[in-house]
């Protein structure tokens, strides 16, 4: 049991390294996603202008931009395998759960890179008051984990369908609405000097629930 | 056949009684009667979603196509009742709150259910191959199941809602409900639920016949 656990941890690590390496080789996924995130940020910023102390709108806009960036890019990890016809080989060398977990970790790193560029730029362009960094980062991190967990599972499903891109956004949104609601409320609360405990616990519970269900469901993903 | 006729008579009679026999609640006025359509439709929406998700999980466990038929049929009927509940609620909101839509937590949750149903059916239509369609949509359904309690029960309790009594009247409010209103309401609840089961059995029987026909055509070819 211990041996299988350690070998699957090694498999997850190997998948993650493989993902990072093949992404770094071309970087087209990352470049496209960054460009998309900055474009949607510029679109939002241009459309509404600097918002100053309208923190209620700011927190909504921030998560809309992050949601768009996630919906545009997080299906990439699975779709790339289908389009490159490499999934069969991958399935030969690793269990579905290891593949799913490896891709989830990769998506988390991917999202973190996008946010590292987008969030500072957002704060700069939209002219909001400085956030309470600790609480802001807490909501941001937990929201991203929940976002990545839900998106990775849905992307594994939609990679095997027709019309993947459009379907990914549509099929992910129902799973992302609880994340969006809690993350927006939490971001708003920290700006207005409130606590974020309730929102943080919703996000943790949700991420844990999606993650747990993912572990059960990855086994059923590929059988043909 | 007789049961179906009785069901139609049952719903029609209670619908009429809801207008002529049951009184109206003072503040709500004539809008009281939305109770007899809106809540049963919302109840069937939740019931259909739960049924669809249970059948999806059963499909993943047992791999029998009948479970997939039930999951798909319940989702198709669910979206129908969900639209009825949404529209009747929205009309009522216009009459009582002055606006058709204002993202009250209850409105958010019904919209969320509508999204799940729509995404589930869109996913089904985008997968080739019967077995793969059944498997992938069952996985999606099981994943969406996780999100349901969060939006249905947690979010509306954390954030204030104007919506009267969550989902079903609480015991406190039941005491204040006029017995005639309660009778019509419960009768309509029974009627809507029976209507759902009847339509579900029609839809799944149709799917079974359709599959048998396709199998026979495949065997003959």
């Amino acid at each position: 049991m211990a041996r299988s656990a350690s070998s699957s941890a090694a498999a997850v690590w190997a998948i993650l390294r493989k993902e990072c390496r093949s992404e770094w080789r071309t970087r087209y996924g990352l470049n496209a996603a960054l460009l998309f995130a900055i474009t949607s940020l510029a679109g939002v910023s241009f459309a509404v202008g600097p918002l100053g102390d309208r923190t209620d709108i700011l927190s909504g806009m921030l998560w809309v931009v992050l949601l768009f960036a996630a919906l545009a890019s997080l299906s990439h990890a699975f779709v790339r395998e289908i389009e490159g016809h490499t999934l069969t080989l991958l399935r030969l060398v690793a269990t579905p759960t290891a593949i799913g977990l490896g891709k989830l970790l990769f998506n988390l790193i991917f999202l973190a890179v996008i946010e590292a560029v987008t969030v500072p730029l957002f704060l700069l362009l939209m002219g909001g008051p400085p956030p309470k960094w600790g609480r802001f980062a807490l909501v941001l991190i937990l929201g991203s984990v929940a976002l990545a967990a839900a998106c990775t599972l849905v992307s594994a499903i939609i990679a095997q369908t027709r019309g993947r891109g459009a379907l990914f956004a549509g099929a992910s949104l129902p799973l992302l609405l609880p994340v969006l609601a809690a993350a927006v409320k939490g971001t708003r609360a920290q700006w207005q000097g409130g606590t974020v405990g309730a929102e943080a616990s919703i996000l943790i519970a949700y991420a844990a629930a999606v993650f747990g269900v993912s572990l059960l469901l990855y086994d059923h993903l590929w059988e043909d | 056949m007789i049961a179906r006729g009785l069901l139609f008579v049952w719903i029609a009679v209670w619908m009429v009684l809801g207008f002529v026999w049951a009184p109206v609640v003072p503040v709500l006025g004539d809008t009281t009667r939305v109770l007899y359509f809106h809540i049963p439709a919302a109840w069937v929406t939740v019931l259909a979603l739960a049924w669809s998700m249970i059948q999806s999980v059963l499909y993943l466990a047992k791999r029998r196509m009948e479970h997939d038929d039930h999951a798909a049929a319940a989702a198709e009927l669910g979206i129908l009742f969900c639209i009825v509940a949404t529209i009747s609620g929205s009309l009522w909101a216009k009459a009582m709150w002055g606006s058709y839509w204002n993202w009250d937590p209850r409105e958010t949750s019904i919209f969320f259910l509508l999204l799940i149903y729509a995404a589930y059916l869109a996913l089904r239509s985008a997968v080739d191959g019967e077995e793969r369609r059944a498997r992938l949509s069952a996985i999606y359904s099981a994943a969406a199941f996780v999100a349901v309690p969060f939006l249905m029960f947690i979010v509306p309790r954390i954030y204030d809602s104007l919506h009267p009594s969550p989902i079903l009247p609480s015991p406190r409010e039941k005491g204040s409900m006029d017995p005639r209103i309660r009778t019509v309401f419960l009768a309509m609840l029974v009627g809507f639920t029976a209507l759902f089961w009847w339509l579900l059995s029609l839809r799944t029987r149709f799917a079974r016949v359709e599959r048998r026909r396709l199998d026979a055509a495949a065997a003959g070819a």
Side-chain angles (χ1 to χ4, degrees), chain A residues 162 171 174 213 220-221 223-224, chain B residues 63 112 126 128 132 135 140:
Chain A
R162 285 181 268 130
V213 167
H220 299 292
L221 270 174
E223 290 178 354
D224 42 359
Chain B
R63 303 303 164 112
F112 168 77
D128 296 317
R132 182 189 275 194
R135 185 162 43 80
Y140 181 74

Side-chain angles (χ1 to χ4, degrees), chain A residues 36-127:
Chain A
F36 185 90
I38 291 170
T39 308
S40 55
L41 172 58
V44 166
S45 173
F46 176 75
V48 299
L51 283 170
D53 54 359
R54 292 299 305 276
T55 50
D56 49 341
I57 303 180
L58 274 177
S59 40
M61 289 296 182
L62 174 66
W63 282 96
V64 166
V65 169
L66 292 181
L67 180 78
F68 275 22
L71 289 182
S73 59
L74 291 191
S75 67
H76 181 60
F78 277 104
V79 170
R80 184 171 53 196
E81 304 288 352
I82 301 278
E83 284 176 350
H85 305 285
T86 47
L87 186 64
T88 315
L89 184 66
L90 198 61
R91 280 170 58 194
L92 284 176
V93 297
T95 61
T97 310
I99 297 174
L101 289 182
K103 301 237 181 223
L104 171 58
L105 289 177
F106 172 72
N107 274 345
L108 260 179
I109 296 172
F110 196 88
L111 206 54
V113 172
I114 292 176
E115 285 173 359
V117 177
T118 318
V119 173
L121 213 55
F122 179 90
L123 295 175
L124 206 71
L125 285 176
M126 305 298 282

Side-chain angles (χ1 to χ4, degrees), chain B:
Chain B
M1 198 64 190
I2 298 169
R4 186 183 59 187
L6 281 178
L7 174 61
F8 287 160
V9 171
W10 173 272
I11 291 180
V13 165
W14 286 108
M15 212 181 276
V16 172
L17 285 178
F19 280 88
V20 300
W21 178 61
V24 296
V25 175
V27 183
L28 298 178
D30 281 334
T31 66
T32 308
R33 284 157 190 142
V34 81
L35 183 83
Y36 311 132
F37 306 95
H38 175 68
I39 302 181
W43 150 251
V44 170
T45 304
V46 176
L47 179 73
L49 190 74
W51 187 249
S52 178
M53 286 167 167
I54 290 168
Q55 292 293 333
S56 294
V57 173
L58 280 176
Y59 174 79
L60 286 180
K62 300 195 173 149
R63 303 303 164 112
R64 289 159 51 111
M65 287 313 283
E66 290 81 47
H67 293 307
D68 183 56
D69 290 344
H70 268 270
E76 284 167 8
L77 292 171
I79 203 167
L80 201 70
F81 282 95
C82 193
I83 290 169
V84 170
T86 309
I87 292 177
S88 59
S90 179
L91 290 174
W92 182 84
K94 176 67 182 171
M96 292 308 294
W97 302 340
S99 121
Y100 287 110
W101 203 265
N102 59 0
W103 294 114
D104 184 85
R106 284 287 153 215
E107 290 176 332
T108 309
S109 17
I110 199 92
F111 176 74
F112 168 77
L113 292 188
L114 204 56
L115 265 185
I116 293 188
Y117 278 130
Y120 174 82
L121 293 174
L123 180 69
R124 288 191 74 88
S125 67
V127 187
D128 296 317
E130 199 177 40
E131 194 275 334
R132 182 189 275 194
R133 180 187 312 131
R135 185 162 43 80
L136 290 180
S137 48
I139 294 176
Y140 181 74
S141 189
F145 204 19
V146 174
V148 172
F150 281 84
L151 265 146
M152 291 299 287
F153 300 108
I154 296 180
V155 172
R157 267 159 190 68
I158 291 181
Y159 309 113
D160 291 335
S161 170
L162 289 172
H163 194 281
S165 63
I167 301 180
L168 287 178
S170 67
R172 180 172 47 84
E173 280 161 292
K174 206 173 262 176
S176 64
M177 200 189 227
D178 186 284
R180 279 173 293 173
I181 294 181
R182 198 192 317 164
T183 310
V184 178
F185 165 64
L186 290 176
M188 286 296 270
L189 206 60
V190 171
F192 267 62
T193 311
L195 186 67
F196 168 68
W197 284 115
W198 172 62
L199 290 171
L200 185 73
S201 77
L202 264 189
R203 196 74 192 78
T204 48
R205 272 185 287 161
F206 178 77
R208 199 161 58 220
V209 171
E210 184 75 10
R211 179 166 310 110
R212 206 174 291 162
R213 191 182 64 81
L214 287 175
D215 286 348

